[in-house]
Amino acid sequence: MYINGQWLSLERTFPVYNPATGERLAEVVDGGVEQAEAAIQAASAAFPAWAATTAYQRSALLYRAYELMMQRQQELARTMTSEQGKPLRAALNEVRYGADFLLWFAEEAKRMYGEIIPSARPDQRFLTQLMPVGVVAAITPWNYPVSMITRKLAPALAAGCTVVLKPAEATPLCALAMMEIFAEAGFPPGVINLVTAADPAPIGELFCTHPKVGKITFTGSTAVGRKLAQMAAPQLKRMSLELGGHAPFIVFDDADPVHAAKGATLVKFLNAGQACISPNRIYVQRGIAEPFLAAMTERVGALRVGDGMEQGVTVGPLVNEAAIDKVHRQVTDALEKGARLHVGGQRLREGGLERGHFYAPTLLSDVTPEMLIYREETFGPVAAVTVFDDPEQVLELANDTNYGLASYVYTRDIARAFRMFEGLRFGIVGINDINPTSAAAPFGGIKDSGMGREGARQGLLEYVEIKLGGFAI
Ligand code: ADP
């Protein structure tokens, strides 16, 4: 752990495993409430001086961390693949995406503009200034174990906040590697603190109830996000929640079915489907359903499953046994209720895959609203296709979910593209675009997918309060 500028060890540890091989990679310090308390106190003590630094000073440190991250991208990617499982090339992409948040907010720190607002009174002047919210407690997930850290920490630090980070128990090694980078970049003691723990619940509770924590920023499941929001409510703590999703992916019959199938396969099987923006319902218009399914069957069948360290592997393992069980339960349920299986549909245990959590990339069609997969987030390598007839009705189908993170549309019709963009009740709409994400663009959801935006100009505003000055002159 890293608290108040010191590396801290405890006798109590927990193991970290490689999900592809079952190998035990390391033992990591198992912190608890006591260490989290110390980290909050350190962050709180460091806050006034950090908040008083100039934006240029904060920017320089963020920029230095960006440079170190880029220098260590290969090493970080290997750490990520070994503890999280994604193919090495995808890990490298994530490291660069993660580094981009440091660069973006190094720049954005200098644009913490206030406003001068004209008053109706001639003897009055209004101005606003942005104030950092204080100590930020950040809880990050295992599926993007590097970029979810920088996506939260970079704007918080840019704004002048200090931070306590609690990473996911499955991927603490990435967090430790990032902390080495922050320490080496020269952030003052207490500005960034790391608490690793096997049991997140007591630390989450402390974050939500501690009077010295100004803001909670969380990425993870909707169930845990809801729990944190409930615990933080009595103190009206500021919150950003980036939660689950159930993305619709709509292909109209004016689109090229082969191109759309390529896009659907790429985005669905990214990170073995373990992404909150992963398409969970693929709607294809009847006129092109056959060529679409044929192209997708071929592409899904050609994915190569294995240890992400091996060259040519495109789909890595799932995070653990529970993930395998959940995926298989959804597939079995769909097949029992009449879905058609085109490819996949089972756990993989042979050819060097015996010790990892591997599931075959799977394509189902004839998926209906009665099936679990149509409602529940899958977080695994299963593409579920539903054929539709009525282009007016598909918007209603797509919006019929409690989630509201990402959505995708394939069409060549500009008017239809606009209508869909405006009609979809989601925080993100990709129009013929399977990668509508960037450090420069606001990422986030509505409804059960959470609140707040990460990245972009808006990402910085999550970590500030607006102070109004009224001057009678
Ligand atoms: P997933 O189901 O994708 O693992 P979680 O919401 O369980 O998502 O995990 C995301 C992050 O939330 C991880 O850092 C995890 O340790 C943390 N977490 C899980 N349960 C709690 C809890 N009760 N309180 C605080 N944090 C939690």
Side-chain angles (χ1 to χ4, degrees), residues 86-433:
K86 74 186 59 170
L88 199 51
R89 223 173 62 186
L92 205 50
N93 285 340
E94 187 195 328
V95 172
R96 291 175 188 149
Y97 173 63
D100 224 19
F101 287 101
L102 295 173
L103 180 59
W104 173 266
F105 285 108
E107 293 160 345
E108 209 59 11
K110 299 177 198 159
R111 285 182 276 279
M112 272 182 61
Y113 300 141
E115 285 181 311
I116 305 277
I117 301 163
S119 166
R121 278 170 35 200
D123 62 346
Q124 187 183 43
R125 302 290 180 270
F126 283 131
L127 64 86
T128 64
Q129 197 177 37
L130 303 181
M131 306 181 283
V133 293
V135 174
V136 170
I139 301 179
T140 52
W142 49 264
N143 61 339
Y144 287 89
V146 163
S147 57
M148 294 305 99
I149 290 176
T150 54
R151 196 157 84 171
K152 295 183 185 313
L153 268 52
L157 296 164
C161 298
T162 55
V163 179
V164 180
L165 167 67
K166 206 262 348 129
E169 49 277 21
T171 54
L173 301 180
C174 281
L176 284 160
M178 284 307 301
M179 215 44 56
E180 279 170 20
I181 287 173
F182 287 122
E184 210 173 307
F187 284 89
V191 170
I192 311 176
N193 306 275
L194 170 73
V195 180
T196 50
D199 179 7
I203 294 176
E205 189 179 341
L206 184 74
F207 284 173
C208 291
T209 54
H210 201 295
K212 287 189 173 167
V213 172
K215 158 124 193 170
I216 313 281
T217 173
F218 171 78
T219 296
S221 58
T222 298
V224 173
R226 214 187 291 283
K227 203 183 296 173
L228 297 175
Q230 277 165 355
M231 286 192 292
Q235 287 188 28
L236 303 177
K237 276 201 202 308
R238 303 296 175 257
M239 282 211 130
S240 296
L241 300 171
E242 205 269 272
L243 310 176
H246 205 278
F249 188 107
I250 305 167
V251 187
F252 288 100
D253 64 5
D254 61 65
D256 174 353
V258 174
H259 181 64
K262 179 179 171 189
T265 309
L266 280 171
V267 61
K268 175 68 239 184
F269 295 93
L270 198 67
N271 207 12
Q274 302 172 114
C276 45
I277 58 165
S278 193
N280 226 117
R281 291 165 289 150
I282 301 175
Y283 297 104
V284 185
Q285 201 167 352
R286 191 167 308 276
I288 55 158
E290 209 178 297
F292 177 89
L293 282 167
M296 198 154 172
T297 303
E298 192 187 318
R299 285 189 174 271
V300 176
L303 293 170
R304 229 186 97 205
V305 180
D307 184 338
M309 288 292 187
E310 277 172 34
Q311 202 140 38
V313 163
T314 46
V315 177
L318 296 190
V319 64
N320 55 29
E321 282 303 302
I324 293 269
D325 291 346
K326 181 177 184 195
V327 166
H328 196 57
R329 187 167 51 83
Q330 288 191 1
V331 170
T332 311
D333 167 81
L335 294 175
E336 275 168 7
K337 292 176 181 161
R340 230 169 96 202
L341 179 68
H342 295 260
V343 55
Q346 81 283 354
R347 184 187 186 147
L348 298 174
R349 291 180 184 277
E350 277 154 32
L353 305 182
E354 320 44 37
R355 305 179 75 87
H357 314 294
F358 293 100
Y359 200 85
T362 299
L363 176 62
L364 301 171
S365 66
D366 292 344
V367 169
T368 61
E370 294 70 46
M371 300 172 187
L372 289 176
I373 196 162
Y374 193 89
R375 299 271 168 214
E376 279 184 7
E377 190 177 30
T378 304
F379 239 61
V382 185
V385 174
T386 303
V387 174
F388 72 94
D389 291 294
D390 181 356
E392 301 304 315
Q393 198 205 357
V394 75
L395 182 61
E396 238 172 85
L397 293 174
N399 282 336
D400 180 22
T401 169
N402 292 333
Y403 291 110
L405 188 56
S407 56
Y408 306 87
V409 177
Y410 270 66
T411 180
R412 286 180 180 139
D413 179 334
I414 185 78
R416 175 174 275 163
F418 252 95
R419 280 200 304 276
M420 294 304 288
F421 173 68
E422 290 179 358
L424 282 162
R425 300 272 304 142
F426 292 81
I428 300 167
V429 185
I431 304 281
N432 301 317
D433 185 8

